[in-house]
Structures are given as structure tokens and as C-alpha cells.
Amino acid sequence: MLNRFEKEVQAVKLQNIEKDLNAVARQISREEDSLKNEKVTVRIHRDSRPELKRIFSFPGIVISIPISFLREVTFENELSAVIALELAQVQRRELAREMEKNENSTFFGDLSIFHFSQKSRGESIELGTKLMYAGGYDPRGMVALFQKYASYYVDTESSSAQKELKFYVKEAQKAKNDFLPSLQPIVRSNDFLRMKKELKNITFLIYPFLPS
């Protein structure tokens, strides 16, 4: 399935930024016994079409993040929440279970294999929050992530999508409350600030119509 995704979706090769993204993934995965020995690869893809403006993750573990979303991320805990949520979904075999049920799967549209149930997504939010907290990130980033989704995704303009997002925000807030406030959470490391600066310049070249 990953091979088919790579043929259908154009990757954006940004070596330094991918290095930083993979460092965040290692920071999170090394604290979890079932993930610490797994190789996690985080990639970036071009998202010139609305259906590509979402994060994809595959068993293996490969996570692909749209470049425009990286541009929207303000704090490092939001970025860690993205990666932790995808790690949780892979660990819980969400995609693998959908693949077992759907032989002729598609990546995009209403029948996308990545449309997981609210219950499954809620459970992944809980696990993802645990993962990011163990990695030293402020769990409030998971709440901020789903609040940010409300303005990022084109398909969240419908009332049903807004209702679903509110459910996820509530689940993230509930998961956050299970942990004490981090004493020294990672907020904006030097690597993160450097990544954002480089990303801004590169993204402008790729999407010159976006405001700086």
C-alpha cells in the first residue's frame, strides 16, 4: 500500500526538515516499549489538491505530512501531537484492520481507507497523548492540534465535520487531564525554530501564493 501511495502522491525532499521531524518521532517512540526498537520515518508530501491536506501513516512505520500543515504548526507540542497520534494509530493497527476489511481500498474521498471511526480515533488520541507526554511534550498540544484542524481542513466546513472535530477536541482535553502539567515541556527548541525558518523560505518557493 505504501508503494501505491508513493506513486500517487508527490514527495517533497527537504533533507534538513525531515531530519528534524524524524528526531521528534524518535523522541516520542523511544519512550514506548512497543515502539522503541521500530524504525520510524517521517516524510513530507506536496498537497496541491484538497484531499492531500491530511496526514497519512502506514505500518512500517512511515508517516507522511503535508507541507502546508507544517507551515501552520506554531509550537513544537503541536508537531509532536501530529506524530504521536499517527504512531498511536499504527500501534493500534487502525489502517491494518481497515485493509483487512477492504480489498479494493482508496486513499481519498468519502470511501478513503483512512476514515477511521470516532471511537477508534478517540482511543488513538488517548494513546497519542500518553506517548507525547512520555516524550517530554506538553499534552495540550493534542488539544491545539484538533483546534487547528478546524481551520485547516477544507472538509470541516460542514456541520457534521465540525461536530466530529468538537468530539476530538473534547477527547484530547480529557486525555490531557490525565497528566500533571509538565515541569519543563519542550515548547520551541532551537531545532524547531530553525526548521520553521527554513520551511517558511522553502514553502514560499513551492507555494508563492501563500501569505508569509
Side-chain angles (χ1 to χ4, degrees):
M1 176 164 281
L2 177 60
N3 289 337
R4 180 156 65 89
F5 176 81
E6 291 173 339
K7 292 178 181 178
E8 295 185 27
V9 180
Q10 184 178 359
V12 180
K13 298 297 183 181
L14 303 173
Q15 186 175 358
N16 291 336
I17 294 175
E18 286 184 349
K19 180 180 178 181
D20 293 333
L21 295 174
N22 282 287
V24 173
R26 285 194 300 273
Q27 176 77 15
I28 297 170
S29 61
R30 70 185 181 187
E31 301 299 330
E32 175 65 24
D33 289 342
S34 61
L35 293 173
K36 64 183 181 182
N37 294 322
E38 296 283 345
K39 180 183 178 182
V40 180
T41 302
V42 184
R43 300 175 181 173
I44 306 167
H45 65 264
R46 190 183 296 270
D47 54 335
S48 54
R49 305 195 311 270
E51 62 268 26
L52 297 178
K53 293 181 64 175
R54 60 177 61 248
I55 295 93
F56 300 89
S57 57
F58 299 88
I61 302 168
V62 176
I63 300 170
S64 187
I65 303 176
I67 190 169
S68 66
F69 186 78
L70 291 176
R71 194 175 190 272
E72 295 293 320
V73 169
T74 306
F75 296 101
E76 198 160 354
N77 64 355
E78 296 169 357
L79 178 60
S80 70
V82 168
I83 295 173
L85 179 62
E86 297 304 315
L87 287 173
Q89 290 176 172
V90 172
Q91 187 177 0
R92 297 185 62 257
R93 300 188 69 252
E94 287 194 24
L95 179 62
R97 288 198 298 267
E98 290 298 319
M99 289 170 61
E100 291 168 0
K101 294 186 295 183
N102 299 279
E103 294 183 3
N104 300 317
S105 56
T106 180
F107 296 130
F108 317 114
D110 294 337
L111 299 179
S112 171
I113 198 171
F114 289 95
H115 281 174
F116 307 128
S117 70
Q118 284 192 23
K119 182 177 182 296
S120 293
R121 181 61 61 88
E123 291 171 354
S124 290
I125 289 171
E126 182 179 0
L127 177 56
T129 303
K130 173 187 172 184
L131 293 175
M132 63 182 295
Y133 183 81
Y137 295 98
D138 190 334
R140 288 177 295 181
M142 189 67 75
V143 179
L145 172 64
F146 282 97
Q147 291 172 334
K148 192 175 291 290
Y149 278 170
S151 60
Y152 175 71
Y153 282 134
V154 174
D155 58 3
T156 58
E157 296 177 357
S158 68
S159 58
S160 61
Q162 288 292 341
K163 184 178 180 180
E164 185 175 354
L165 271 179
K166 287 180 180 178
F167 171 80
Y168 294 145
V169 169
K170 184 178 179 180
E171 290 297 297
Q173 289 171 334
K174 185 167 64 174
K176 169 187 70 69
N177 292 337
D178 289 339
F179 301 97
L180 294 172
S182 304
L183 296 179
Q184 292 182 315
I186 302 170
V187 180
R188 282 176 170 170
S189 66
N190 289 334
D191 287 342
F192 177 78
L193 293 173
R194 177 179 51 76
M195 182 194 77
K196 287 294 293 181
K197 182 178 180 180
E198 181 175 349
L199 185 64
K200 181 178 180 180
N201 295 334
I202 294 175
T203 304
F204 183 73
L205 295 177
I206 298 175
Y207 296 109
F209 54 86
L210 289 175
S212 58

